[in-house]
Amino acid sequence: EVEVYGALSNLALGKPTYQSSTPLFPAGSSDKAVDGNTNGYWSGGSVTHGSGNDWWTVDLGGMYSIHSVKIYNRLDCCKERLNIIHILIFDASYQILKIETVISSSPEIVEWSPDAPITGKMVQIQNANILHMAEVEVYGI
């Protein structure tokens, strides 16, 4: 017997977001990462920007089966700032369900998939550096 769950969709698109700092507000605001625009150039107006030792969170609005996270980096400078990031999955009670450290080498796109889907409500990206992202996509059902 085969169970079909349907196609995965980007659960983060247009959802509420928060970040620890926005020094250039309104430029660099947290919502830039879920606007559907993957343009990684600051001049394109769709890149988040923090001030260092940052976190960014998207609230998916309900509990979903999270299969993967895809992060589009800023491209016009500083790609190495996403070399080491932490991805956290929270439930509705803000309990941490998963913490994953992802290490890349000057990545344009950072992708992470858990060994098995995780049912969660919020996805957080943490970075000891200045956190800037063009887009964050959270795929699940």
Side-chain angles (χ1 to χ4, degrees), residues 108-125:
E108 292 186 8
I109 298 174
V110 176
E111 296 184 78
W112 170 75
S113 296
D115 294 333
I118 300 169
T119 301
K121 184 178 185 288
M122 290 168 279
V123 176
Q124 185 173 91
I125 312 298

Side-chain angles (χ1 to χ4, degrees), residues 16 41 72 77-78 83 109-110 114 118 124 131 136 140:
Y41 292 88
Y72 292 83
C77 83
C78 325
N83 281 357
I109 298 174
V110 176
I118 300 169
Q124 185 173 91
L131 185 59
V136 177

Side-chain angles (χ1 to χ4, degrees), residues 7-13 38 60 64-72 111-114 117-118 123 135-141:
L8 299 179
S9 61
N10 179 7
L11 304 170
L13 185 63
T38 61
L60 303 176
Y64 290 95
S65 178
I66 298 168
H67 291 245
S68 67
V69 177
K70 187 173 187 179
I71 304 166
Y72 292 83
E111 296 184 78
W112 170 75
S113 296
I118 300 169
V123 176
E135 193 74 10
V136 177
E137 298 171 344
V138 178
Y139 287 96
I141 51 177

Side-chain angles (χ1 to χ4, degrees), residues 3 11 16 18 37 58 63 67 75 77 88 92 94 97-99 101 104 108 121 134 138:
E3 293 183 25
L11 304 170
Y18 315 92
N37 185 350
V58 60
M63 296 293 286
H67 291 245
L75 298 177
C77 83
L88 293 81
Y94 298 97
L97 303 173
K98 179 72 173 175
I99 300 175
T101 300
S104 303
E108 292 186 8
K121 184 178 185 288
V138 178

Side-chain angles (χ1 to χ4, degrees), residues 8-125:
L8 299 179
S9 61
N10 179 7
L11 304 170
L13 185 63
K15 296 292 175 59
T17 58
Y18 315 92
Q19 64 189 23
S20 54
S21 65
T22 309
L24 306 174
F25 187 82
S29 59
S30 65
D31 61 319
K32 305 290 187 194
V34 294
D35 63 2
N37 185 350
T38 61
N39 180 347
Y41 292 88
W42 182 255
S43 61
S46 183
V47 175
T48 68
H49 199 294
S51 58
N53 199 25
D54 294 318
W55 57 261
W56 175 95
T57 303
V58 60
D59 185 336
L60 303 176
M63 296 293 286
Y64 290 95
S65 178
I66 298 168
H67 291 245
S68 67
V69 177
K70 187 173 187 179
I71 304 166
Y72 292 83
N73 200 354
R74 181 175 177 174
L75 298 177
D76 54 351
C77 83
C78 325
K79 287 188 271 185
E80 71 282 354
R81 290 180 179 166
L82 290 188
N83 281 357
I84 301 174
I85 61 168
H86 307 287
I87 299 174
L88 293 81
I89 310 293
F90 295 88
D91 67 12
S93 301
Y94 298 97
Q95 297 299 309
I96 297 172
L97 303 173
K98 179 72 173 175
I99 300 175
E100 187 73 28
T101 300
V102 180
I103 300 172
S104 303
S105 176
S106 297
E108 292 186 8
I109 298 174
V110 176
E111 296 184 78
W112 170 75
S113 296
D115 294 333
I118 300 169
T119 301
K121 184 178 185 288
M122 290 168 279
V123 176
Q124 185 173 91
I125 312 298

